[in-house]
């Protein structure tokens, strides 16, 4: 057994692991001289909103970045553009990074400065968000809040220190763009990695409809809104909208205005694990590493190898139940932070959640299956240890582990090295999650998103946030720029940045206000956030 070298780690099924990588630099300066910048544009962005709050490039933000230090600079370039992609036997027209799905793997080491230029060659604006990374506010990629959206034809340079190791996700933060191929994995290695393993497999899950029989995410959003539609084009993952339509009996829908593509509205869905409906969108395809079950991605290793799987749900509206046939998994991390190791048969992975697991592989060909909870279909990849003389599993394979023990995130305990120290909260916030499937009027406290909203906190506070789900739908809630502890009755919970809130339940989280700026809190169901389920936590001066 040995700890893998950097060369070994790069040999993953995401063949484009280094496709976005350019030459590393030697500069140790982690601050752009004038804040975030387009080519030829050195102005700092100050969002509209109430005064008295720390703005994205204010001195408090720069001071927090200096404390993170600045190691070697790792340089990458993404081009966001229209592309024709092969999903493993099915070609689609979509928008992608560097004409790949998933986008190129970005791999750095904790303490490095990530210097990533996003070239926007799309017909509309875009941005890039480093999901789960505790970074400087003006690099967070939220249009109209932390930066101006990048215009078509312009470039934007994201440059910040990545202080914490873990498994993260890069994606657009404009409109319905994340439900295309505008996403990529970000792996931050630990220079003092405590785990020993032989191989690493980056596993990206996705729900797919863009370019299939004329469907686009924007048109599907129109179908979900009863009695009309809105132009979602260039807003910050949600333009702010509250439907005034009267409520209707459960299960009824008013036909939406005609849109191109087939009807993708999901009806009669149910998930026991999610305590209700699985979702609102009936996706035609589900993918692992950009491939369909009929022509799956194949990961090769040797019998007895210890393999680290970094599982990332890049989907926009689907939670996946994941299992590797013939194996138990040992959970080592969730959302990038280590947990006390826990063995399980399967995992429930909500949108934008990440789990790292270890498996010691047997001899044979084994299906990695991701079932979309409450929906029809599946995603499939294959792990094989032979030399190719056994057939691949059929596309309809269903390993019995999927129906075995599933460890929910709330039962995971943080590793001692990352557990929040016990402390009484200095500030308590209570936010109600509101809206309905029938009216599709999602929001917080019956209000839709506005970039001028602020829930005030102050630097140095321990904040307790209670999210009360007053809806009949589950929601994966994500807080930008921070990690939180999922608070239990008698324990400090695992460190996460995204967590599921089940219907008519509440989620209590604690976090330390240690990263000044303006930070989004939102549902990571793309169709919910784009319908208004977002708000802003702001640091007071």
């Amino acid at each position: 057994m040995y700890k893998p070298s950097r060369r070994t780690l790069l040999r993953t099924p995401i063949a484009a692991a280094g496709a976005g990588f350019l030459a590393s630099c030697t500069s140790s300066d982690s601050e752009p001289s004038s804040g975030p910048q387009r080519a030829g544009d050195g102005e700092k962005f100050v969002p509209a909103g109430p005064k008295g709050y720390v703005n994205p490039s204010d001195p408090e933000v720069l001071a927090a970045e200096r404390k993170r230090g600045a190691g070697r600079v790792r340089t990458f370039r993404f081009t966001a553009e229209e592309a024709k992609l092969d999903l493993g036997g099915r070609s689609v027209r979509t928008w992608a990074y560097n004409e790949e799905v998933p986008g190129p793997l970005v791999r750095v080491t904790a303490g490095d400065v990530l210097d990533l230029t996003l070239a926007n060659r799309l017909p509309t604006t875009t941005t890039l968000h480093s999901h789960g990374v505790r970074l400087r506010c003006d690099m967070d990629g939220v249009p109209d809040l932390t930066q101006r959206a990048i215009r078509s034809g312009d470039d934007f340079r994201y440059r910040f220190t990545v202080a914490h190791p873990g498994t993260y996700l890069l994606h657009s933060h404009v409109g319905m763009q994340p439900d295309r191929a505008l996403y990529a994995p970000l792996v931050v290695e630990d220079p003092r990695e405590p785990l020993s393993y032989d191989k690493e497999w980056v596993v990206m899950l996705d729900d797919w409809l863009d370019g299939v029989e004329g469907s686009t995410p924007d048109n599907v959003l129109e179908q979900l809104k009863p009695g009309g539609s809105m132009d979602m084009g260039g807003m910050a993952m949600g333009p702010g909208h509250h439907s005034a339509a009267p409520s209707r009996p459960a299960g009824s829908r008013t036909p939406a205005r005609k849109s191109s593509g087939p009807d993708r509205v999901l009806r009669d869905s149910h998930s026991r694990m999610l305590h209700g409906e699985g979702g609102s969108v009936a996706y035609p395809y589900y993918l692992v590493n950009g491939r369909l079950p009929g022509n799956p991605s194949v990961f090769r290793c040797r019998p007895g190898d210890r393999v680290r799987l970094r599982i990332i749900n890049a989907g926009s509206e689907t939670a996946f139940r994941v299992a590797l046939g013939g194996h138990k998994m040992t959970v080592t991390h969730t959302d990038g932070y280590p947990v006390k190791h826990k063995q399980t048969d399967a995992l429930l992975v909500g949108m934008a959640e990440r789990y790292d697991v270890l498996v010691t592989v047997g001899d044979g060909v084994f299906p990695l299956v991701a079932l979309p909870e409450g929906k029809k279909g599946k995603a499939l990849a294959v792990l094989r240890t032979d030399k190719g003389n056994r057939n691949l599993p059929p596309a309809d394979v269903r390993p019995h582990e999927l129906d075995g023990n599933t460890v929910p995130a709330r039962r995971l305990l943080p590793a001692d090295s990352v557990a929040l120290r016990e402390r009484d909260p200095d500030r308590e916030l209570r936010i109600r999650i509101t809206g309905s499937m029938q009216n599709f009027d999602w929001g917080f406290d019956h209000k839709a998103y506005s970039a001028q909203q602020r829930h005030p906190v102050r630097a140095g506070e321990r904040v307790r946030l209670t999210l009360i789900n007053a809806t009949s739908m589950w929601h994966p809630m994500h807080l930008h720029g921070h990690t939180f502890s999922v608070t239990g009755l008698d324990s400090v919970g695992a460190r996460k940045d995204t967590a599921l809130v089940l219907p008519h339940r509440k989620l209590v989280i604690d976090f330390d206000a240690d990263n000044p700026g303006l930070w989004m809190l939102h549902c990571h169901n793309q169709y919910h956030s784009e319908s208004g389920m977002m708000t802003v936590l702001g640091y007071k001066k």
Side-chain angles (χ1 to χ4, degrees), residues 21-271:
F21 182 78
L22 302 177
S24 296
C25 306
T26 57
S27 168
S28 61
D29 177 16
S30 64
E31 284 185 23
S33 59
S34 54
Q37 53 190 298
R38 292 189 189 92
D41 180 4
E43 65 178 316
K44 295 181 179 180
F45 173 69
V46 178
K51 296 185 182 302
Y53 287 86
V54 176
N55 287 315
S57 296
D58 275 359
E60 296 90 336
V61 173
L62 304 185
E65 180 72 352
R66 282 191 293 270
K67 287 182 180 179
R68 294 187 184 101
R72 61 177 177 171
V73 178
R74 304 300 303 278
T75 307
F76 299 79
R77 182 178 178 88
F78 279 9
T79 299
E81 59 189 335
E82 296 181 276
K84 184 177 182 180
L85 302 180
D86 179 8
L87 305 181
R90 175 70 192 245
S91 293
V92 294
R93 300 292 304 185
T94 186
W95 298 349
Y97 294 135
N98 295 12
E99 299 185 287
E100 302 173 28
V101 58
L105 170 63
V106 174
R107 187 184 291 277
V108 299
T109 299
D112 287 350
V113 174
L114 175 59
D115 190 331
L116 191 157
T117 296
L118 177 61
N120 182 14
R121 303 301 178 259
L122 300 172
T124 187
T125 61
T126 194
T127 64
L128 186 138
H129 171 58
S130 298
H131 179 101
V133 179
R134 297 165 69 189
L135 76 175
R136 54 183 291 167
C137 186
D138 53 9
M139 297 288 114
D140 195 41
V142 180
D144 302 323
L145 185 69
T146 69
Q147 68 171 97
R148 289 188 176 87
I150 309 165
R151 296 184 297 259
S152 179
D154 282 355
D155 296 353
F156 190 96
R157 184 183 181 192
Y158 293 94
R159 183 178 168 98
F160 54 89
T161 298
V162 186
H164 300 277
T167 303
Y168 301 102
L169 171 65
L170 305 171
H171 65 79
S172 169
H173 216 289
V174 170
M176 295 304 302
Q177 291 180 14
D179 206 18
R180 300 178 187 257
L182 294 173
Y183 63 85
L186 169 61
V187 172
V188 183
E189 294 177 347
D190 189 340
R192 296 178 296 277
E193 178 59 68
L195 297 179
S196 294
Y197 50 95
D198 303 292
K199 293 288 186 72
E200 177 188 284
W201 188 8
V202 179
V203 176
M204 297 204 76
L205 313 174
D206 193 16
D207 42 20
W208 191 274
L209 57 79
D210 193 38
V212 180
E213 299 176 318
S215 290
T216 69
D218 298 277
N219 287 337
V220 172
L221 181 60
E222 285 191 0
Q223 294 175 0
L224 293 169
K225 288 184 174 292
S229 63
M230 295 181 64
D231 177 11
M232 302 297 172
M235 302 302 288
M237 278 184 69
H241 171 64
H242 181 74
S243 171
S247 62
R248 287 177 287 281
S252 67
R253 291 185 187 273
T254 299
R257 188 167 66 91
K258 287 184 179 180
S259 62
S260 63
D263 182 5
R264 299 290 185 195
V265 177
L266 179 63
R267 298 172 177 86
D268 301 321
S269 163
H270 180 77
S271 165

Side-chain angles (χ1 to χ4, degrees), residues 484-496:
F484 50 75
S485 171
V486 180
T487 304
L489 294 176
D490 55 1
S491 64
V492 175
R495 294 282 292 274
K496 289 181 65 63

Side-chain angles (χ1 to χ4, degrees), residues 231-308:
D231 177 11
M232 302 297 172
M235 302 302 288
M237 278 184 69
H241 171 64
H242 181 74
S243 171
S247 62
R248 287 177 287 281
S252 67
R253 291 185 187 273
T254 299
R257 188 167 66 91
K258 287 184 179 180
S259 62
S260 63
D263 182 5
R264 299 290 185 195
V265 177
L266 179 63
R267 298 172 177 86
D268 301 321
S269 163
H270 180 77
S271 165
R272 175 184 56 83
M273 284 190 171
L274 296 172
H275 293 212
E277 297 189 52
S280 304
V281 180
Y283 284 87
Y285 300 139
Y286 299 96
L287 312 176
V288 178
N289 290 346
R291 301 190 72 82
L292 295 165
N295 191 359
S297 171
V298 178
F299 177 78
R300 297 180 183 275
C301 56
R302 298 175 300 179
D305 275 351
R306 200 178 197 203
V307 179
R308 180 179 190 166

Side-chain angles (χ1 to χ4, degrees), residues 349-363:
V349 188
M351 292 83 83
E353 285 190 296
R354 293 92 61 212
Y355 285 88
D356 290 23
V357 302
L358 289 176
V359 295
T360 301
V361 301
D363 185 11

